[in-house]
Amino acid sequence: TPGMSESATPSPAVTAAALRRAFIAGARRVIAARDELNRINVFPVPDGDTGSNLSSTLGHVLQGALSRRSRHIGELLVRIGNDAIDGARGNSGAIMAQFLYGLAEHARNAPVLDAQTLADAVRRGADSARSALANPVEGTIVSVISAFADAMEEAARQHAADPQGGFATALQRARGALADTPKQMALLQKAGVVDAGARGFVDWLEGIAEYVEGGPRALRMRGAMPAANDAGEM
């Protein structure tokens, strides 16, 4: 399947090359959505910077860890987590950075990611993001991250050999959790919007899904970053 395997034979594990490209696609999707995320930003204060903060944080990772190829997925994730923490901007950027850092902490010694390791790493990331907040509020990015992690764990138990299918199922759960954010927070319901940070996290997942489904072609279609150093990595 394009994007999740380096050969024509479907692989039960995600490689460093595929993960790097998927994360590039995720970051580009958030950056493309920056203005819309700013527009719907009403929590915790309506200062219209959630999109800018997430884009800046992920842009720092794009220019750093994701600009270099890697053969070891744990090493790649550690570089991504460290870059995200170093470049974190604003509340939403800090939460996203903590998620990526926690994910990396669990998977730092993994040469590849099978479905269970990936699910466990996502859970560690979700716990890291939530523990970074003194008073986590439901109906925000942490709610969507938690729903995504729950679904990844369930999918790993049911379909241990299919990380791609587990991700697709978890993305659906994250979309549902995003749609529920106005039901959890009156401020959002009154404004007629979903939570901007939560939407940014789902945008990131949507970019990853676009790569998983379309492979390198999805990256070329989005442009925004030279693909020359991707040659020969599939």
Side-chain angles (χ1 to χ4, degrees):
T1 302
M4 302 301 278
S5 170
E6 289 189 303
S7 69
T9 304
S11 168
V14 181
T15 63
L19 182 120
R20 172 178 168 263
R21 289 170 163 182
F23 274 30
I24 288 171
R28 289 181 181 173
R29 181 71 167 251
V30 173
I31 291 168
R34 178 178 54 206
D35 291 345
E36 174 63 11
L37 295 175
N38 284 339
R39 186 188 69 79
I40 66 173
N41 174 204
V42 298
F43 177 85
V45 288
D47 49 5
D49 65 357
T50 292
S52 296
N53 290 338
L54 279 172
S55 294
S56 179
T57 302
L58 292 172
H60 190 78
V61 180
L62 265 181
Q63 294 166 14
L66 292 175
S67 70
R68 305 188 303 278
R69 286 184 287 182
S70 177
R71 292 187 178 277
H72 190 284
I73 211 160
E75 292 174 1
L76 174 62
L77 284 168
V78 168
R79 291 205 308 264
I80 289 169
N82 289 337
D83 276 359
I85 293 291
D86 290 344
R89 181 170 141 190
N91 189 56
S92 56
I95 295 169
M96 185 73 186
Q98 285 294 333
F99 169 77
L100 292 170
Y101 187 81
L103 190 152
E105 280 296 291
H106 182 81
R108 62 186 307 125
N109 295 317
V112 295
L113 285 181
D114 58 26
Q116 188 62 59
T117 305
L118 178 59
D120 291 344
V122 167
R123 169 53 62 196
R124 176 75 70 86
D127 291 345
S128 176
R130 187 172 287 271
S131 65
L133 297 169
N135 297 296
V137 176
E138 298 308 321
T140 64
I141 185 173
V142 290
S143 302
V144 173
I145 292 175
S146 293
F148 178 69
D150 290 344
M152 287 291 288
E153 288 183 323
E154 292 169 18
R157 286 194 296 269
Q158 296 168 12
H159 309 288
D162 185 15
Q164 183 173 335
F167 175 80
T169 300
L171 173 56
Q172 282 293 102
R173 185 82 63 85
R175 288 172 179 148
L178 174 62
D180 284 343
T181 58
K183 302 173 188 174
Q184 297 172 285
M185 194 186 301
L187 183 65
L188 299 175
Q189 195 162 40
K190 183 177 180 181
V193 297
V194 294
D195 179 70
R199 164 74 186 275
F201 184 77
V202 172
D203 281 334
W204 181 69
L205 296 178
E206 296 281 7
I208 291 172
E210 186 175 33
Y211 171 71
V212 170
E213 293 162 10
R217 179 173 173 271
L219 285 183
R220 288 196 295 271
M221 286 173 63
R222 283 222 166 252
M225 186 175 172
N229 61 353
D230 290 336
E233 216 179 310
M234 288 299 289

